[in-house]
Amino acid sequence: MARPGLPTPRWGARRAARAGAGQARLTRRLAFGALVVALAATGTGCVSLPQEKTGKAPVWSPASADATSTFLRTYDEVTRRAAAGRNDKLITSVESGPLLQASQAEFQIAKRLDPDNKKPASAPAHTDSKVYLPKFEKYPVWFFTVSKAGEAAQPTVGLVLRPRAGALWKKAVSVDLDKGVDLPPLATRDGSAVDVSQETGGTLVRPPSKVAIAYAALLADGPTAPQARAFEPHPQTTRSQQATAQNKSQSSAFSYNQKFEVTSVRALATTDGGALELFTLAETENLAMKTGSLRFERTDAVAAYTGVAAPTAFLRTNWVWQVAAFVPPKDQGNGKVRLLGVDRSLASAEMK
C-alpha cells in the first residue's frame, strides 16, 4: 500500500475505506454571513452573480448578506442531492478546485464499492454559520466561512471563490478543524475582513505564501527538515512523514518518489496581528514495482478508485491537502505556525 497507516480524511472515501460505501456520510462545510450584490439561484441549483461592480470606489464588497445566505443554502441542497446520486456533474455547480477533486474521487469510490447505491450517502446540515468577507480591487473575489456540520457539530472552515465577473460562486476549500481547536478572532477594517494573503512583511512571523511552501517542504523532507522549526507538531504531518519514510525504505521491492506543489493560499488578519490561513497542496506519488506486487484491501480508497487490488507494474496517485493554520505575529509565543486542521484526500489514482 502506497501510504500505509495514512487514512483519506474525507467524508465518503475516509469512511468507505474502512467500512464500505454504504457507511459513507458527507461531512460538508459551509456558512452564512454579511457581505453587496444579489445571488440568483437557477433551476438546476446553480448560483450566479451577473452584476458587475459599480461606481468608482477603489475597493468593493462583492456580495450581500442575503447573497451569501442564498449560496450557502443552495450549497447544502446541491451537495445533498449530488451525494445521494453520486452525481459528479451536479457537484460542479457548487464546488471547484481541490474540494471538487476530492468529491468526485469519492463518488468514484462509492460507485465501485456500492454499485447499486443501496445505501446512499447523506449530507449534514450546517449551523452557527458565519462569513468573513474582505473588500477587493479586482477579481478573483472570495470569502471564508466558519460553521458546524452535522449532529457532531464538527467545526469547519471553508473558502468560497468567484474567479471573474459572471462566474458562479463555488466552494473551493473545506477543512474540518481538530477537536478542541478555537479559531482566533478575526480583525475588521471598515466592517470588512482584512485580506493578508499577499503579505510579505508586516506583523506576521512568516508570509502566508512562505508558510505553505515551508509545509510542503516539511512533508517532502521529513521531520529533520529545516522547516520543522516553523511549525508546531501535528499528527497528520507525522503520519505522512512516517508513511513516506516507510515507502522509501522498500527500495528493493519498488522505486518511490513523491512531490508537493502549493496550489492556493488565502489568509485573513486576526485581531492580535496574526493570520488565519487556508492553503492547499497537490501531492503526487509514483511507485514502480521491481519485484512481486502490493496487495490492497478491496475497501481501500486507492483500490476502490482504480478497481485494482494488486499492482504488478506501477501505481500513481494524486492527493489534495487542505490546511487551516494560524500564523502568529512576530514576537508572540514560540513564533511557530499552528495547524488547526489538515485534510488529505485522494484526487485520482492509476494502477496496473
Side-chain angles (χ1 to χ4, degrees):
M1 180 174 176
R3 302 293 285 174
L6 185 60
T8 307
R10 284 280 296 162
W11 29 271
R14 174 174 57 191
R15 291 168 175 80
R18 293 200 297 257
Q23 300 295 322
R25 185 175 186 276
L26 298 182
T27 56
R28 293 298 189 161
R29 314 89 157 153
L30 232 304
F32 283 80
L35 309 161
V36 183
V37 185
L39 283 169
T42 71
T44 62
C46 298
V47 181
S48 62
L49 273 182
Q51 297 90 337
E52 298 282 355
K53 61 181 180 179
T54 58
K56 297 181 180 181
V59 293
W60 52 290
S61 295
S64 67
D66 286 345
T68 56
S69 297
T70 298
F71 170 78
L72 299 173
R73 285 194 300 269
T74 302
Y75 179 86
D76 274 357
E77 176 188 347
V78 171
T79 54
R80 175 183 57 79
R81 289 161 47 204
R86 289 95 168 260
N87 191 329
D88 57 3
K89 296 295 191 295
L90 178 59
I91 198 69
T92 63
S93 67
V94 291
E95 288 188 354
S96 64
L99 186 58
L100 175 62
Q101 289 180 285
S103 295
Q104 292 184 326
E106 289 213 15
F107 293 163
Q108 169 80 358
I109 292 166
K111 290 174 183 177
R112 186 88 64 180
L113 295 178
D114 180 19
D116 297 325
N117 200 12
K118 293 180 179 179
K119 296 182 179 180
S122 60
H126 294 83
T127 59
D128 297 337
S129 301
K130 298 178 181 178
V131 159
Y132 298 92
L133 174 76
K135 290 183 179 179
F136 297 91
E137 296 180 358
K138 60 182 180 180
Y139 288 95
V141 295
W142 51 270
F143 56 87
F144 278 9
T145 67
V146 178
S147 62
K148 295 179 180 178
E151 295 178 1
Q154 176 73 30
T156 67
V157 179
L159 169 71
V160 180
L161 178 70
R162 187 181 181 217
R164 60 190 177 278
L168 303 178
W169 285 100
K170 296 184 180 182
K171 193 175 185 186
V173 178
S174 187
V175 183
D176 288 339
L177 299 186
D178 296 337
K179 186 176 181 180
V181 164
D182 292 322
L183 285 175
L186 295 179
T188 60
R189 181 184 300 150
D190 298 328
S192 300
V194 181
D195 178 11
V196 292
S197 306
Q198 305 301 319
E199 182 67 68
T200 57
T203 64
L204 299 179
V205 69
R206 186 179 292 253
S209 61
K210 291 189 177 181
V211 169
I213 293 170
Y215 190 62
L218 177 59
L219 292 173
D221 298 337
T224 61
Q227 293 81 5
R229 62 177 176 266
F231 296 90
E232 293 185 1
H234 190 276
Q236 187 74 316
T237 307
T238 302
R239 284 195 292 268
S240 179
Q241 291 169 336
Q242 289 174 343
T244 296
Q246 182 173 341
N247 285 336
K248 289 181 177 179
S249 72
Q250 304 297 316
S251 57
S252 62
F254 52 79
S255 64
Y256 174 80
N257 65 72
Q258 172 195 46
K259 67 177 182 179
F260 291 88
E261 178 185 1
V262 177
T263 51
S264 71
V265 176
R266 297 290 192 281
L268 294 177
T270 57
T271 56
D272 61 359
L276 173 62
E277 178 174 352
L278 289 178
F279 66 88
T280 60
L281 309 175
E283 175 192 359
T284 302
E285 294 182 299
N286 288 287
L287 185 153
M289 300 303 303
K290 294 181 179 179
T291 60
S293 65
L294 297 173
R295 173 65 62 176
F296 289 81
E297 294 292 332
R298 184 185 70 88
T299 54
D300 182 272
V302 173
Y305 184 93
T306 60
V308 179
T312 57
F314 67 87
L315 168 63
R316 300 190 186 102
T317 57
N318 294 296
W319 306 82
V320 293
W321 289 71
Q322 302 176 80
V323 183
F326 171 65
V327 185
K330 297 174 181 176
D331 303 320
Q332 182 181 103
N334 60 13
K336 294 187 176 184
V337 174
R338 180 163 59 101
L339 302 177
L340 308 178
V342 181
D343 283 355
R344 177 182 185 262
S345 310
L346 184 67
S348 64
E350 184 181 5
M351 199 182 329
K352 187 175 180 180

PDB file of all heavy atoms in Angstrom, residues 261-296:
ATOM      1  N   GLU A 261       3.222  20.425  -4.391  1.00  0.00           N
ATOM      2  CA  GLU A 261       3.132  21.736  -5.039  1.00  0.00           C
ATOM      3  C   GLU A 261       2.057  22.560  -4.343  1.00  0.00           C
ATOM      4  O   GLU A 261       0.947  22.066  -4.093  1.00  0.00           O
ATOM      5  CB  GLU A 261       2.772  21.574  -6.517  1.00  0.00           C
ATOM      6  CG  GLU A 261       2.608  22.893  -7.264  1.00  0.00           C
ATOM      7  CD  GLU A 261       2.135  22.701  -8.689  1.00  0.00           C
ATOM      8  OE1 GLU A 261       1.922  21.542  -9.092  1.00  0.00           O
ATOM      9  OE2 GLU A 261       1.949  23.711  -9.392  1.00  0.00           O
ATOM     10  N   VAL A 262       2.361  23.799  -4.020  1.00  0.00           N
ATOM     11  CA  VAL A 262       1.370  24.707  -3.441  1.00  0.00           C
ATOM     12  C   VAL A 262       0.419  25.153  -4.544  1.00  0.00           C
ATOM     13  O   VAL A 262       0.861  25.619  -5.602  1.00  0.00           O
ATOM     14  CB  VAL A 262       2.048  25.927  -2.793  1.00  0.00           C
ATOM     15  CG1 VAL A 262       1.003  26.905  -2.262  1.00  0.00           C
ATOM     16  CG2 VAL A 262       2.990  25.488  -1.678  1.00  0.00           C
ATOM     17  N   THR A 263      -0.894  25.009  -4.306  1.00  0.00           N
ATOM     18  CA  THR A 263      -1.872  25.357  -5.343  1.00  0.00           C
ATOM     19  C   THR A 263      -2.742  26.565  -4.999  1.00  0.00           C
ATOM     20  O   THR A 263      -3.328  27.161  -5.906  1.00  0.00           O
ATOM     21  CB  THR A 263      -2.778  24.147  -5.640  1.00  0.00           C
ATOM     22  OG1 THR A 263      -3.317  23.633  -4.411  1.00  0.00           O
ATOM     23  CG2 THR A 263      -1.983  23.043  -6.330  1.00  0.00           C
ATOM     24  N   SER A 264      -2.865  26.928  -3.731  1.00  0.00           N
ATOM     25  CA  SER A 264      -3.613  28.140  -3.389  1.00  0.00           C
ATOM     26  C   SER A 264      -3.269  28.586  -1.979  1.00  0.00           C
ATOM     27  O   SER A 264      -2.923  27.765  -1.124  1.00  0.00           O
ATOM     28  CB  SER A 264      -5.129  27.919  -3.502  1.00  0.00           C
ATOM     29  OG  SER A 264      -5.610  27.091  -2.465  1.00  0.00           O
ATOM     30  N   VAL A 265      -3.371  29.897  -1.754  1.00  0.00           N
ATOM     31  CA  VAL A 265      -3.130  30.482  -0.436  1.00  0.00           C
ATOM     32  C   VAL A 265      -4.109  31.638  -0.242  1.00  0.00           C
ATOM     33  O   VAL A 265      -4.211  32.521  -1.096  1.00  0.00           O
ATOM     34  CB  VAL A 265      -1.690  31.018  -0.300  1.00  0.00           C
ATOM     35  CG1 VAL A 265      -1.501  31.716   1.048  1.00  0.00           C
ATOM     36  CG2 VAL A 265      -0.661  29.899  -0.453  1.00  0.00           C
ATOM     37  N   ARG A 266      -4.838  31.624   0.866  1.00  0.00           N
ATOM     38  CA  ARG A 266      -5.694  32.745   1.262  1.00  0.00           C
ATOM     39  C   ARG A 266      -5.525  32.948   2.764  1.00  0.00           C
ATOM     40  O   ARG A 266      -5.398  31.981   3.519  1.00  0.00           O
ATOM     41  CB  ARG A 266      -7.175  32.472   0.967  1.00  0.00           C
ATOM     42  CG  ARG A 266      -7.516  32.294  -0.510  1.00  0.00           C
ATOM     43  CD  ARG A 266      -7.415  33.589  -1.289  1.00  0.00           C
ATOM     44  NE  ARG A 266      -7.999  33.484  -2.614  1.00  0.00           N
ATOM     45  CZ  ARG A 266      -7.418  32.925  -3.668  1.00  0.00           C
ATOM     46  NH1 ARG A 266      -6.219  32.377  -3.539  1.00  0.00           N
ATOM     47  NH2 ARG A 266      -8.021  32.897  -4.843  1.00  0.00           N
ATOM     48  N   ALA A 267      -5.534  34.200   3.213  1.00  0.00           N
ATOM     49  CA  ALA A 267      -5.335  34.478   4.634  1.00  0.00           C
ATOM     50  C   ALA A 267      -6.059  35.758   5.029  1.00  0.00           C
ATOM     51  O   ALA A 267      -6.086  36.733   4.271  1.00  0.00           O
ATOM     52  CB  ALA A 267      -3.852  34.587   4.952  1.00  0.00           C
ATOM     53  N   LEU A 268      -6.632  35.746   6.238  1.00  0.00           N
ATOM     54  CA  LEU A 268      -7.283  36.913   6.812  1.00  0.00           C
ATOM     55  C   LEU A 268      -6.583  37.295   8.114  1.00  0.00           C
ATOM     56  O   LEU A 268      -6.142  36.423   8.879  1.00  0.00           O
ATOM     57  CB  LEU A 268      -8.758  36.622   7.094  1.00  0.00           C
ATOM     58  CG  LEU A 268      -9.656  36.371   5.885  1.00  0.00           C
ATOM     59  CD1 LEU A 268     -11.067  36.038   6.340  1.00  0.00           C
ATOM     60  CD2 LEU A 268      -9.662  37.576   4.942  1.00  0.00           C
ATOM     61  N   ALA A 269      -6.503  38.596   8.378  1.00  0.00           N
ATOM     62  CA  ALA A 269      -5.848  39.096   9.581  1.00  0.00           C
ATOM     63  C   ALA A 269      -6.654  38.755  10.826  1.00  0.00           C
ATOM     64  O   ALA A 269      -7.894  38.765  10.816  1.00  0.00           O
ATOM     65  CB  ALA A 269      -5.652  40.605   9.477  1.00  0.00           C
ATOM     66  N   THR A 270      -5.962  38.449  11.907  1.00  0.00           N
ATOM     67  CA  THR A 270      -6.584  38.260  13.210  1.00  0.00           C
ATOM     68  C   THR A 270      -6.344  39.496  14.073  1.00  0.00           C
ATOM     69  O   THR A 270      -5.473  40.323  13.776  1.00  0.00           O
ATOM     70  CB  THR A 270      -6.026  37.005  13.908  1.00  0.00           C
ATOM     71  OG1 THR A 270      -4.603  37.115  14.021  1.00  0.00           O
ATOM     72  CG2 THR A 270      -6.356  35.757  13.109  1.00  0.00           C
ATOM     73  N   THR A 271      -7.102  39.617  15.154  1.00  0.00           N
ATOM     74  CA  THR A 271      -7.046  40.841  15.955  1.00  0.00           C
ATOM     75  C   THR A 271      -5.709  41.042  16.650  1.00  0.00           C
ATOM     76  O   THR A 271      -5.371  42.163  17.029  1.00  0.00           O
ATOM     77  CB  THR A 271      -8.162  40.831  17.006  1.00  0.00           C
ATOM     78  OG1 THR A 271      -8.042  39.644  17.817  1.00  0.00           O
ATOM     79  CG2 THR A 271      -9.539  40.859  16.345  1.00  0.00           C
ATOM     80  N   ASP A 272      -4.937  39.961  16.827  1.00  0.00           N
ATOM     81  CA  ASP A 272      -3.652  40.079  17.522  1.00  0.00           C
ATOM     82  C   ASP A 272      -2.484  40.336  16.577  1.00  0.00           C
ATOM     83  O   ASP A 272      -1.324  40.289  16.987  1.00  0.00           O
ATOM     84  CB  ASP A 272      -3.381  38.820  18.350  1.00  0.00           C
ATOM     85  CG  ASP A 272      -3.294  37.555  17.504  1.00  0.00           C
ATOM     86  OD1 ASP A 272      -3.456  37.648  16.266  1.00  0.00           O
ATOM     87  OD2 ASP A 272      -3.082  36.475  18.072  1.00  0.00           O
ATOM     88  N   GLY A 273      -2.776  40.575  15.289  1.00  0.00           N
ATOM     89  CA  GLY A 273      -1.721  40.826  14.323  1.00  0.00           C
ATOM     90  C   GLY A 273      -1.277  39.589  13.582  1.00  0.00           C
ATOM     91  O   GLY A 273      -0.372  39.667  12.737  1.00  0.00           O
ATOM     92  N   GLY A 274      -1.890  38.448  13.873  1.00  0.00           N
ATOM     93  CA  GLY A 274      -1.588  37.207  13.170  1.00  0.00           C
ATOM     94  C   GLY A 274      -2.498  37.023  11.970  1.00  0.00           C
ATOM     95  O   GLY A 274      -3.076  37.989  11.449  1.00  0.00           O
ATOM     96  N   ALA A 275      -2.647  35.763  11.519  1.00  0.00           N
ATOM     97  CA  ALA A 275      -3.482  35.485  10.350  1.00  0.00           C
ATOM     98  C   ALA A 275      -4.085  34.097  10.446  1.00  0.00           C
ATOM     99  O   ALA A 275      -3.441  33.155  10.927  1.00  0.00           O
ATOM    100  CB  ALA A 275      -2.679  35.602   9.066  1.00  0.00           C
ATOM    101  N   LEU A 276      -5.333  33.967   9.989  1.00  0.00           N
ATOM    102  CA  LEU A 276      -5.971  32.675   9.760  1.00  0.00           C
ATOM    103  C   LEU A 276      -5.777  32.364   8.282  1.00  0.00           C
ATOM    104  O   LEU A 276      -6.225  33.109   7.420  1.00  0.00           O
ATOM    105  CB  LEU A 276      -7.460  32.736  10.100  1.00  0.00           C
ATOM    106  CG  LEU A 276      -8.279  31.483   9.743  1.00  0.00           C
ATOM    107  CD1 LEU A 276      -7.781  30.267  10.503  1.00  0.00           C
ATOM    108  CD2 LEU A 276      -9.763  31.724   9.990  1.00  0.00           C
ATOM    109  N   GLU A 277      -5.094  31.256   7.998  1.00  0.00           N
ATOM    110  CA  GLU A 277      -4.721  30.929   6.626  1.00  0.00           C
ATOM    111  C   GLU A 277      -5.343  29.614   6.187  1.00  0.00           C
ATOM    112  O   GLU A 277      -5.400  28.656   6.955  1.00  0.00           O
ATOM    113  CB  GLU A 277      -3.188  30.830   6.516  1.00  0.00           C
ATOM    114  CG  GLU A 277      -2.702  30.441   5.129  1.00  0.00           C
ATOM    115  CD  GLU A 277      -1.190  30.480   4.992  1.00  0.00           C
ATOM    116  OE1 GLU A 277      -0.514  30.962   5.925  1.00  0.00           O
ATOM    117  OE2 GLU A 277      -0.684  30.033   3.940  1.00  0.00           O
ATOM    118  N   LEU A 278      -5.819  29.587   4.949  1.00  0.00           N
ATOM    119  CA  LEU A 278      -6.212  28.361   4.275  1.00  0.00           C
ATOM    120  C   LEU A 278      -5.296  28.184   3.071  1.00  0.00           C
ATOM    121  O   LEU A 278      -5.192  29.098   2.242  1.00  0.00           O
ATOM    122  CB  LEU A 278      -7.667  28.415   3.794  1.00  0.00           C
ATOM    123  CG  LEU A 278      -8.772  28.353   4.840  1.00  0.00           C
ATOM    124  CD1 LEU A 278     -10.143  28.462   4.161  1.00  0.00           C
ATOM    125  CD2 LEU A 278      -8.706  27.076   5.652  1.00  0.00           C
ATOM    126  N   PHE A 279      -4.620  27.037   2.980  1.00  0.00           N
ATOM    127  CA  PHE A 279      -3.807  26.781   1.798  1.00  0.00           C
ATOM    128  C   PHE A 279      -3.991  25.337   1.359  1.00  0.00           C
ATOM    129  O   PHE A 279      -4.431  24.479   2.135  1.00  0.00           O
ATOM    130  CB  PHE A 279      -2.326  27.104   2.039  1.00  0.00           C
ATOM    131  CG  PHE A 279      -1.609  26.237   3.035  1.00  0.00           C
ATOM    132  CD1 PHE A 279      -1.003  25.048   2.652  1.00  0.00           C
ATOM    133  CD2 PHE A 279      -1.503  26.629   4.357  1.00  0.00           C
ATOM    134  CE1 PHE A 279      -0.312  24.259   3.562  1.00  0.00           C
ATOM    135  CE2 PHE A 279      -0.802  25.852   5.281  1.00  0.00           C
ATOM    136  CZ  PHE A 279      -0.207  24.659   4.877  1.00  0.00           C
ATOM    137  N   THR A 280      -3.694  25.089   0.083  1.00  0.00           N
ATOM    138  CA  THR A 280      -3.851  23.749  -0.482  1.00  0.00           C
ATOM    139  C   THR A 280      -2.563  23.316  -1.165  1.00  0.00           C
ATOM    140  O   THR A 280      -1.819  24.135  -1.709  1.00  0.00           O
ATOM    141  CB  THR A 280      -5.014  23.690  -1.484  1.00  0.00           C
ATOM    142  OG1 THR A 280      -4.769  24.597  -2.559  1.00  0.00           O
ATOM    143  CG2 THR A 280      -6.336  24.052  -0.811  1.00  0.00           C
ATOM    144  N   LEU A 281      -2.331  22.013  -1.131  1.00  0.00           N
ATOM    145  CA  LEU A 281      -1.176  21.397  -1.780  1.00  0.00           C
ATOM    146  C   LEU A 281      -1.659  20.287  -2.697  1.00  0.00           C
ATOM    147  O   LEU A 281      -2.669  19.631  -2.413  1.00  0.00           O
ATOM    148  CB  LEU A 281      -0.222  20.789  -0.748  1.00  0.00           C
ATOM    149  CG  LEU A 281       0.251  21.645   0.421  1.00  0.00           C
ATOM    150  CD1 LEU A 281       1.096  20.798   1.372  1.00  0.00           C
ATOM    151  CD2 LEU A 281       1.035  22.845  -0.070  1.00  0.00           C
ATOM    152  N   ALA A 282      -0.925  20.070  -3.767  1.00  0.00           N
ATOM    153  CA  ALA A 282      -1.123  18.894  -4.617  1.00  0.00           C
ATOM    154  C   ALA A 282       0.051  17.954  -4.373  1.00  0.00           C
ATOM    155  O   ALA A 282       1.210  18.346  -4.518  1.00  0.00           O
ATOM    156  CB  ALA A 282      -1.187  19.298  -6.080  1.00  0.00           C
ATOM    157  N   GLU A 283      -0.248  16.721  -3.993  1.00  0.00           N
ATOM    158  CA  GLU A 283       0.773  15.705  -3.751  1.00  0.00           C
ATOM    159  C   GLU A 283       0.686  14.644  -4.848  1.00  0.00           C
ATOM    160  O   GLU A 283      -0.401  14.156  -5.156  1.00  0.00           O
ATOM    161  CB  GLU A 283       0.572  15.043  -2.393  1.00  0.00           C
ATOM    162  CG  GLU A 283       1.531  13.891  -2.119  1.00  0.00           C
ATOM    163  CD  GLU A 283       1.142  13.070  -0.901  1.00  0.00           C
ATOM    164  OE1 GLU A 283       0.133  13.408  -0.243  1.00  0.00           O
ATOM    165  OE2 GLU A 283       1.833  12.076  -0.616  1.00  0.00           O
ATOM    166  N   THR A 284       1.811  14.299  -5.421  1.00  0.00           N
ATOM    167  CA  THR A 284       1.879  13.246  -6.438  1.00  0.00           C
ATOM    168  C   THR A 284       2.826  12.160  -5.967  1.00  0.00           C
ATOM    169  O   THR A 284       3.943  12.456  -5.533  1.00  0.00           O
ATOM    170  CB  THR A 284       2.372  13.803  -7.784  1.00  0.00           C
ATOM    171  OG1 THR A 284       1.490  14.839  -8.208  1.00  0.00           O
ATOM    172  CG2 THR A 284       2.402  12.703  -8.840  1.00  0.00           C
ATOM    173  N   GLU A 285       2.389  10.906  -6.056  1.00  0.00           N
ATOM    174  CA  GLU A 285       3.224   9.759  -5.715  1.00  0.00           C
ATOM    175  C   GLU A 285       3.354   8.853  -6.932  1.00  0.00           C
ATOM    176  O   GLU A 285       2.366   8.592  -7.620  1.00  0.00           O
ATOM    177  CB  GLU A 285       2.615   8.943  -4.578  1.00  0.00           C
ATOM    178  CG  GLU A 285       2.559   9.659  -3.252  1.00  0.00           C
ATOM    179  CD  GLU A 285       1.978   8.763  -2.170  1.00  0.00           C
ATOM    180  OE1 GLU A 285       0.818   8.341  -2.309  1.00  0.00           O
ATOM    181  OE2 GLU A 285       2.678   8.470  -1.200  1.00  0.00           O
ATOM    182  N   ASN A 286       4.559   8.381  -7.175  1.00  0.00           N
ATOM    183  CA  ASN A 286       4.819   7.417  -8.243  1.00  0.00           C
ATOM    184  C   ASN A 286       5.574   6.233  -7.669  1.00  0.00           C
ATOM    185  O   ASN A 286       6.603   6.402  -7.015  1.00  0.00           O
ATOM    186  CB  ASN A 286       5.641   8.060  -9.363  1.00  0.00           C
ATOM    187  CG  ASN A 286       4.830   9.037 -10.181  1.00  0.00           C
ATOM    188  OD1 ASN A 286       3.981   8.639 -10.968  1.00  0.00           O
ATOM    189  ND2 ASN A 286       5.081  10.318  -9.992  1.00  0.00           N
ATOM    190  N   LEU A 287       5.047   5.048  -7.922  1.00  0.00           N
ATOM    191  CA  LEU A 287       5.652   3.818  -7.415  1.00  0.00           C
ATOM    192  C   LEU A 287       5.777   2.841  -8.576  1.00  0.00           C
ATOM    193  O   LEU A 287       4.791   2.560  -9.264  1.00  0.00           O
ATOM    194  CB  LEU A 287       4.776   3.241  -6.306  1.00  0.00           C
ATOM    195  CG  LEU A 287       5.256   2.016  -5.547  1.00  0.00           C
ATOM    196  CD1 LEU A 287       4.647   2.018  -4.146  1.00  0.00           C
ATOM    197  CD2 LEU A 287       4.853   0.725  -6.264  1.00  0.00           C
ATOM    198  N   ALA A 288       6.992   2.357  -8.817  1.00  0.00           N
ATOM    199  CA  ALA A 288       7.237   1.382  -9.889  1.00  0.00           C
ATOM    200  C   ALA A 288       7.745   0.093  -9.266  1.00  0.00           C
ATOM    201  O   ALA A 288       8.737   0.091  -8.538  1.00  0.00           O
ATOM    202  CB  ALA A 288       8.250   1.927 -10.885  1.00  0.00           C
ATOM    203  N   MET A 289       7.048  -1.006  -9.566  1.00  0.00           N
ATOM    204  CA  MET A 289       7.400  -2.286  -8.967  1.00  0.00           C
ATOM    205  C   MET A 289       8.714  -2.821  -9.535  1.00  0.00           C
ATOM    206  O   MET A 289       8.996  -2.691 -10.722  1.00  0.00           O
ATOM    207  CB  MET A 289       6.288  -3.303  -9.205  1.00  0.00           C
ATOM    208  CG  MET A 289       4.934  -2.915  -8.638  1.00  0.00           C
ATOM    209  SD  MET A 289       4.975  -2.581  -6.860  1.00  0.00           S
ATOM    210  CE  MET A 289       5.638  -4.131  -6.233  1.00  0.00           C
ATOM    211  N   LYS A 290       9.499  -3.439  -8.663  1.00  0.00           N
ATOM    212  CA  LYS A 290      10.724  -4.137  -9.065  1.00  0.00           C
ATOM    213  C   LYS A 290      10.558  -5.644  -8.929  1.00  0.00           C
ATOM    214  O   LYS A 290      10.890  -6.401  -9.824  1.00  0.00           O
ATOM    215  CB  LYS A 290      11.902  -3.659  -8.210  1.00  0.00           C
ATOM    216  CG  LYS A 290      12.285  -2.214  -8.418  1.00  0.00           C
ATOM    217  CD  LYS A 290      13.466  -1.840  -7.542  1.00  0.00           C
ATOM    218  CE  LYS A 290      13.892  -0.399  -7.749  1.00  0.00           C
ATOM    219  NZ  LYS A 290      15.043  -0.026  -6.873  1.00  0.00           N
ATOM    220  N   THR A 291      10.056  -6.070  -7.774  1.00  0.00           N
ATOM    221  CA  THR A 291       9.817  -7.495  -7.536  1.00  0.00           C
ATOM    222  C   THR A 291       8.456  -7.666  -6.879  1.00  0.00           C
ATOM    223  O   THR A 291       8.059  -6.864  -6.037  1.00  0.00           O
ATOM    224  CB  THR A 291      10.898  -8.094  -6.609  1.00  0.00           C
ATOM    225  OG1 THR A 291      10.863  -7.410  -5.347  1.00  0.00           O
ATOM    226  CG2 THR A 291      12.272  -7.960  -7.229  1.00  0.00           C
ATOM    227  N   GLY A 292       7.744  -8.719  -7.267  1.00  0.00           N
ATOM    228  CA  GLY A 292       6.475  -9.023  -6.617  1.00  0.00           C
ATOM    229  C   GLY A 292       5.408  -7.985  -6.891  1.00  0.00           C
ATOM    230  O   GLY A 292       5.411  -7.296  -7.915  1.00  0.00           O
ATOM    231  N   SER A 293       4.471  -7.841  -5.962  1.00  0.00           N
ATOM    232  CA  SER A 293       3.375  -6.893  -6.109  1.00  0.00           C
ATOM    233  C   SER A 293       2.892  -6.463  -4.738  1.00  0.00           C
ATOM    234  O   SER A 293       3.201  -7.081  -3.723  1.00  0.00           O
ATOM    235  CB  SER A 293       2.212  -7.524  -6.892  1.00  0.00           C
ATOM    236  OG  SER A 293       1.648  -8.592  -6.156  1.00  0.00           O
ATOM    237  N   LEU A 294       2.139  -5.368  -4.710  1.00  0.00           N
ATOM    238  CA  LEU A 294       1.475  -4.927  -3.495  1.00  0.00           C
ATOM    239  C   LEU A 294       0.087  -5.543  -3.437  1.00  0.00           C
ATOM    240  O   LEU A 294      -0.467  -5.960  -4.451  1.00  0.00           O
ATOM    241  CB  LEU A 294       1.362  -3.403  -3.478  1.00  0.00           C
ATOM    242  CG  LEU A 294       2.659  -2.597  -3.466  1.00  0.00           C
ATOM    243  CD1 LEU A 294       2.339  -1.128  -3.632  1.00  0.00           C
ATOM    244  CD2 LEU A 294       3.419  -2.839  -2.180  1.00  0.00           C
ATOM    245  N   ARG A 295      -0.497  -5.537  -2.263  1.00  0.00           N
ATOM    246  CA  ARG A 295      -1.852  -6.044  -2.107  1.00  0.00           C
ATOM    247  C   ARG A 295      -2.649  -5.063  -1.267  1.00  0.00           C
ATOM    248  O   ARG A 295      -2.262  -4.725  -0.160  1.00  0.00           O
ATOM    249  CB  ARG A 295      -1.836  -7.417  -1.431  1.00  0.00           C
ATOM    250  CG  ARG A 295      -3.205  -7.966  -1.058  1.00  0.00           C
ATOM    251  CD  ARG A 295      -4.084  -8.261  -2.265  1.00  0.00           C
ATOM    252  NE  ARG A 295      -3.512  -9.276  -3.126  1.00  0.00           N
ATOM    253  CZ  ARG A 295      -4.141  -9.746  -4.208  1.00  0.00           C
ATOM    254  NH1 ARG A 295      -5.346  -9.259  -4.546  1.00  0.00           N
ATOM    255  NH2 ARG A 295      -3.564 -10.655  -4.977  1.00  0.00           N
ATOM    256  N   PHE A 296      -3.755  -4.561  -1.817  1.00  0.00           N
ATOM    257  CA  PHE A 296      -4.634  -3.634  -1.126  1.00  0.00           C
ATOM    258  C   PHE A 296      -5.911  -4.352  -0.695  1.00  0.00           C
ATOM    259  O   PHE A 296      -6.386  -5.262  -1.383  1.00  0.00           O
ATOM    260  CB  PHE A 296      -5.044  -2.472  -2.042  1.00  0.00           C
ATOM    261  CG  PHE A 296      -3.943  -1.505  -2.354  1.00  0.00           C
ATOM    262  CD1 PHE A 296      -3.007  -1.779  -3.337  1.00  0.00           C
ATOM    263  CD2 PHE A 296      -3.844  -0.313  -1.671  1.00  0.00           C
ATOM    264  CE1 PHE A 296      -2.003  -0.888  -3.638  1.00  0.00           C
ATOM    265  CE2 PHE A 296      -2.838   0.592  -1.956  1.00  0.00           C
ATOM    266  CZ  PHE A 296      -1.908   0.316  -2.946  1.00  0.00           C
TER     267      PHE A 296
END
